[in-house]
Amino acid sequence: MHCPYPNGNQMKDPIVILGGGPCGLSCAWELAAQGWDVVVLEREPRPGGLCATNTFGEYRFDLGGHRFLSQNQELTSRILDLMGADMLVSERKSVVMHSGKRFAYPLSAPDLVENLGLGLNLKALLGYAGELIRRRISPRDESHFEGWVTARFGRPLYDRFFGPYTEKLWGIPPTQISSDWAAQRISLLNLGDAALRLIGLRRSPIRTYARRYYYPRLGMGQLFDRMASRMCREGGIIHLGADVTGLDVVGNRVKAVRYHVDGQEYLLPCSWVFSTISLPALARYIAPQSTNGVETAIGNLRSRALRFLNIPLDIPDFSENTWMYIAEPQYKMSRIQEPKRRSSEMVPQGKTSIMLEIPCSVGDKIWEADGNTLFQEMSLELRSLGYNIDSVALDHHSVWVEHGYPIYHLGYQHDRDTLLAEVAKMENVLTGGRQGIFRYIFLDTAMEMGIEAAHQIMQGSRNLKHIQSIRTEKALLEIDALTAT
């Protein structure tokens, strides 16, 4: 997509946005709507970033399990107005597959009791009782994921559910992962809370995930295709296939952005820069000759990569679930998703498809594996789980994501703050989004960050900490979303 300069006006020193995902496009949309000159540089051939939708023939696949829901009524109204009849209301159903059984997700007390059986339930309760005693004698270190979860649920449940899946997802031991991740993602307060609810002695509302959500008819990427088109109609510009390679820094200001398109380098003067690319990359561009502390932080902040194996199927349905978590460590895949559960138009009539999410690291065996080899291996895993697709798989396609999830290693806050301090030295640079502030956020929060950045630029003021603090309340992600039921 290339949008010509409005009215032939060759803009001088526009606002340049690095990255055309939810955060960057929301910033550009807001600026363009107010008449500001803005240019978006997006490395991929389509807008949307991690929320793009890839099309293979008549089948559409997102990059993960995206959905739109927000506490922000104004943002929700704007998105619904933008999408019109193309925005659907969907309902998700998720399960955790473990040892041949399906557990409701998020984990619930009645479901655990029913599926674990008498022996394992007694073992779990004894493990939790042991933790209560230990807490009085020698409390665990709860700064890391393992300690936080074990202290609240006991060793048996940690070893069965939480630990193996977490290590598979992140690729490092849970003792090296900050407990921040657990606090955001686990709905039950502890096993004691679950037991009290089970016998009816506690009835206060449980923290949970929203089941109903908004979803575009043709995949999440449709939302950002439309946002990019609207932004262009209002005078903005987006360059796709534009790979940012550096920043020209003079004093405490960025004067221009360097980028490549089809092997040719361009220099784009700028008045402001709003970055949504990875925080370590931005810090490197700002300070190529950085101090040892900055170099250490750049090396420490890493993201977990993902490889998606997309498989069209010659059957009408694969399962009744939107997605299924594969908890056991012997399986390389971490999640199975069926796109038609969000919108029937993700597949041709009478067909379905699945998307296998496989955590990996850039350059490892999974990342580099031949597509046919990986397909055969995943087919065997599916067969072991009770799904034989050998006779119904029509094709397979891989999509790679380098920066999937920020890895919350122990001490990540210090490393993140070190790099954000480098960004703060630049008078005309802001950063936001999942990669830009190295924080796990959903797309509505990323959009709010982009809109806030636009407002700060239009006002000629900077408040980086305000952008970074959007939706940082100590609450389970999604709990209070407007579409929750």
Side-chain angles (χ1 to χ4, degrees):
M1 179 186 299
H2 174 77
C3 311
Y5 286 93
N7 303 319
N9 176 26
Q10 299 297 310
M11 295 189 300
K12 182 178 180 181
D13 295 350
I15 300 155
V16 178
I17 297 178
L18 312 184
C23 188
L25 279 179
S26 296
C27 182
W29 183 28
E30 184 76 1
L31 289 167
Q34 301 300 322
W36 290 69
D37 292 339
V38 58
V39 178
V40 179
L41 302 177
E42 168 56 43
R43 181 176 62 179
E44 299 300 323
R46 63 187 62 82
L50 292 177
C51 291
T53 299
N54 292 288
T55 301
F56 301 102
E58 298 180 88
Y59 295 82
R60 297 180 176 88
F61 297 90
D62 289 345
L63 296 174
H66 301 297
R67 55 214 179 277
F68 179 78
L69 59 164
S70 179
Q71 300 172 344
N72 187 323
Q73 295 185 14
E74 181 181 355
L75 175 61
T76 300
S77 295
R78 289 183 66 181
I79 295 304
L80 294 181
D81 179 69
L82 178 69
M83 296 303 295
D86 285 327
M87 186 64 91
L88 311 175
V89 176
S90 300
E91 186 166 342
R92 86 182 207 176
K93 181 179 181 182
S94 308
V95 296
V96 176
M97 298 186 69
H98 194 290
S99 301
K101 296 183 178 181
R102 288 170 171 79
F103 295 81
Y105 181 83
L107 297 175
S108 68
D111 192 66
L112 282 171
V113 169
E114 180 180 351
N115 277 305
L116 287 178
L118 179 61
L120 285 174
N121 275 300
L122 288 174
K123 189 175 181 181
L125 288 173
L126 288 173
Y128 178 64
E131 288 300 321
L132 292 179
I133 296 172
R134 175 177 178 144
R135 189 177 300 170
R136 295 178 177 274
I137 302 172
S138 178
R140 287 186 182 274
D141 176 5
E142 296 185 23
S143 65
H144 54 72
F145 184 95
E146 179 179 306
W148 191 98
V149 174
T150 304
R152 285 159 177 78
F153 294 91
R155 194 78 200 185
L157 282 184
Y158 172 83
D159 288 339
R160 190 171 183 84
F161 287 105
F162 300 105
Y165 180 82
T166 297
E167 184 160 358
K168 175 170 67 174
L169 180 62
W170 296 109
I172 59 176
T175 52
Q176 298 177 20
I177 299 171
S178 169
S179 59
D180 287 0
W181 177 251
Q184 286 184 347
R185 300 296 292 174
I186 297 176
S187 58
L188 292 170
L189 297 178
N190 53 53
L191 194 59
D193 175 66
L196 289 173
R197 293 181 187 281
L198 185 65
I199 61 178
L201 295 181
R202 179 169 293 171
R203 300 184 182 275
S204 58
I206 189 173
R207 305 194 314 165
T208 188
Y209 292 93
R211 296 190 181 278
R212 299 176 70 243
Y213 57 91
Y214 292 113
Y215 188 78
R217 182 173 58 87
L218 299 179
M220 190 53 70
Q222 185 183 17
L223 167 58
F224 297 101
D225 287 340
R226 188 161 300 180
M227 187 181 292
S229 296
R230 178 71 64 86
M231 183 268 296
C232 288
R233 288 205 306 269
E234 292 171 339
I237 298 168
I238 181 168
H239 294 305
L240 300 176
D243 190 12
V244 175
T245 58
L247 303 175
D248 281 11
V249 178
V250 178
N252 291 328
R253 294 185 66 84
V254 173
K255 293 294 186 180
V257 178
R258 296 183 179 274
Y259 67 99
H260 281 98
V261 177
D262 295 329
Q264 184 172 350
E265 186 175 46
Y266 296 88
L267 183 68
L268 179 61
C270 59
S271 58
W272 282 84
V273 171
F274 179 52
S275 175
T276 66
I277 64 175
S278 78
L279 182 58
L282 177 62
R284 173 75 69 208
Y285 293 150
I286 288 173
Q289 306 297 324
S290 53
T291 64
N292 288 337
V294 172
E295 283 294 325
T296 299
I298 288 174
N300 286 344
L301 289 185
R302 297 174 294 128
S303 294
R304 187 63 162 158
L306 298 168
R307 183 167 176 175
F308 294 98
L309 187 62
N310 301 320
I311 308 173
L313 298 175
D314 190 18
I315 50 175
D317 297 287
F318 180 79
S319 81
E320 62 180 359
N321 300 294
T322 312
W323 58 66
M324 297 180 282
Y325 292 93
I326 312 303
E328 294 166 287
Q330 67 266 32
Y331 299 102
K332 290 185 171 63
M333 68 178 81
S334 61
R335 189 160 58 167
I336 305 170
Q337 303 185 54
E338 189 169 3
K340 74 176 294 182
R341 297 298 162 208
R342 298 187 181 91
S343 169
S344 62
E345 295 192 44
M346 298 294 281
V347 295
Q349 188 173 2
K351 311 288 185 182
T352 193
S353 62
I354 55 173
M355 178 171 64
L356 309 183
E357 185 174 317
I358 312 167
C360 58
S361 299
V362 175
D364 70 8
K365 290 182 178 180
I366 293 174
W367 183 272
E368 298 290 342
D370 171 76
N372 290 327
T373 301
L374 184 64
F375 172 74
Q376 293 299 326
E377 187 174 355
M378 293 303 101
S379 295
L380 290 174
E381 289 195 3
L382 287 170
R383 195 179 307 167
S384 176
L385 292 166
Y387 297 98
N388 190 337
I389 65 167
D390 291 352
S391 63
V392 297
L394 298 172
D395 201 353
H396 59 85
H397 310 272
S398 286
V399 179
W400 293 260
V401 173
E402 182 177 353
H403 299 283
Y405 304 123
I407 299 176
Y408 282 11
H409 66 271
L410 288 177
Y412 82 96
Q413 301 98 325
H414 173 76
D415 294 322
R416 181 177 63 189
D417 290 345
T418 297
L419 299 191
L420 289 173
E422 287 298 301
V423 176
K425 294 176 182 178
M426 297 292 103
E427 297 173 354
N428 64 333
V429 177
L430 295 168
T431 186
R434 181 184 290 192
Q435 295 181 42
I437 61 167
F438 199 82
R439 194 178 118 213
Y440 185 85
I441 57 175
F442 290 132
L443 68 90
D444 65 306
T445 301
M447 295 167 74
E448 288 185 283
M449 288 181 175
I451 292 169
E452 171 60 25
H455 291 168
Q456 291 190 19
I457 290 170
M458 290 187 286
Q459 294 163 7
S461 62
R462 282 198 320 156
N463 189 337
L464 283 168
K465 289 186 177 180
H466 183 61
I467 295 174
Q468 297 153 20
S469 66
I470 291 175
R471 304 290 175 206
T472 55
E473 54 268 23
K474 295 291 186 179
L476 184 77
L477 297 174
E478 295 190 0
I479 180 174
D480 294 321
L482 291 177
T483 55
T485 57

